[in-house]
Amino acid sequence: MKFRFQNIIQLCAVVLAVSAMSCTAARADSSRKLIWSDEFNGKGLPDPAKWSYDVGGEGFGNNEAQFYTKNRPENARMENGSLVIEARKENWEKSAYTSARLLTKGKFSFQYGTIEVRAKLPKGRGTWPAIWMMSENMKKWPDDGELDIMEHVGYNQGYIHASVHTKKYNHIQGTQKTDTLLVKDASEKFHVYKADWTPEKIDVYIDDHKFFTYENKEKTGEAWPFDRPYFIILNLAIGGFWGGKEGIDDRIFPQKYYIDYVRVYQNN
């Protein structure tokens, strides 16, 4: 009887613990609401109701070497539950490489909340994938702000960068606010890149590890333009002032940038 009684007590303890965990999870789930997502579970081109394209090969202000194409599955497609952005070594409109830059501008933007992107990054010297955001009503850069949730340059494998750019703090002046985290298997495994954005601060995480915070300390538009709706950008650049700082290794192509999902939550 003693043995059975102890077992009953232990069983009750386990049930109580599981119940407590379930209640905690329920409270956590109720603290935020999913307002937009793309799980990329289809086939073919990305959903045109959610994504548009930047098109061109003019360097996009960074002296990039690729031509960004539109509606071309060789450069952007849904495949096996992921969005694949593929950079290829091929001549296109006076450029030596092709790739894609997708954005939600004009289709979806949000002000404050949490964005999560689960991604596996390309690898090799010259690659420059990014997850970032800009103002829906961008009139002048960097005055209207830029939030870089994830940037990775292939010549510095595994080092993930998060930054903000504003009129007062930006890379042109060498005053940008930024930080870096080493993720050794960033090109071998998927990781979740996340930004929590409130009126007070922006926190950036990788797999729930916070490594960058930018606070709204100065309460001025020059330092904090992040009080307006922003749209999402996913792209794979080749070369450029930063990505191509140590050249481009043409032996690595094609390179693929995998995005498993993009989810945006409104926080209560």
Side-chain angles (χ1 to χ4, degrees), residues 180-191:
T180 303
L181 183 67
L182 175 60
V183 182
K184 293 182 179 180
D185 59 357
S187 298
E188 287 71 44
K189 294 182 179 179
F190 283 90
H191 293 275

Side-chain angles (χ1 to χ4, degrees), residues 92-164:
W92 195 279
E93 297 285 340
K94 299 181 181 179
S95 297
Y97 310 89
T98 61
S99 188
R101 176 157 135 170
L102 278 66
L103 55 156
T104 64
K105 182 176 175 63
K107 300 175 185 290
F108 172 76
S109 61
F110 70 103
Q111 181 176 338
Y112 310 134
T114 297
I115 175 173
E116 296 180 355
V117 181
R118 185 171 184 263
K120 183 170 68 172
L121 310 184
K123 189 174 186 177
R125 181 164 47 85
T127 59
W128 185 3
I131 302 165
W132 51 304
M133 298 171 59
M134 297 183 77
S135 170
E136 179 72 24
N137 297 306
M138 173 67 71
K139 295 177 181 178
K140 183 179 180 182
W141 187 95
D143 299 24
D144 294 317
E146 174 181 324
L147 169 59
D148 299 320
I149 300 167
M150 184 287 298
E151 288 186 279
H152 177 266
V153 288
Y155 69 82
N156 201 14
Q157 178 62 34
Y159 287 89
I160 308 299
H161 308 266
S163 311
V164 298

Side-chain angles (χ1 to χ4, degrees), residues 63-98:
N63 198 35
E64 298 166 22
Q66 80 292 322
F67 189 96
Y68 285 132
T69 67
K70 177 181 180 180
N71 293 332
R72 187 172 186 250
E74 291 88 346
N75 295 122
R77 62 188 178 275
M78 292 186 289
E79 182 178 279
N80 298 321
S82 292
L83 169 67
V84 181
I85 300 178
E86 182 171 332
R88 302 164 65 92
K89 177 72 175 73
E90 56 183 345
N91 295 323
W92 195 279
E93 297 285 340
K94 299 181 181 179
S95 297
Y97 310 89
T98 61

Side-chain angles (χ1 to χ4, degrees), residues 14-15 36 73 101 130 198 256-257:
V14 170
V15 171
W36 188 92
R101 176 157 135 170
T198 73
K256 299 178 182 179
Y257 175 18

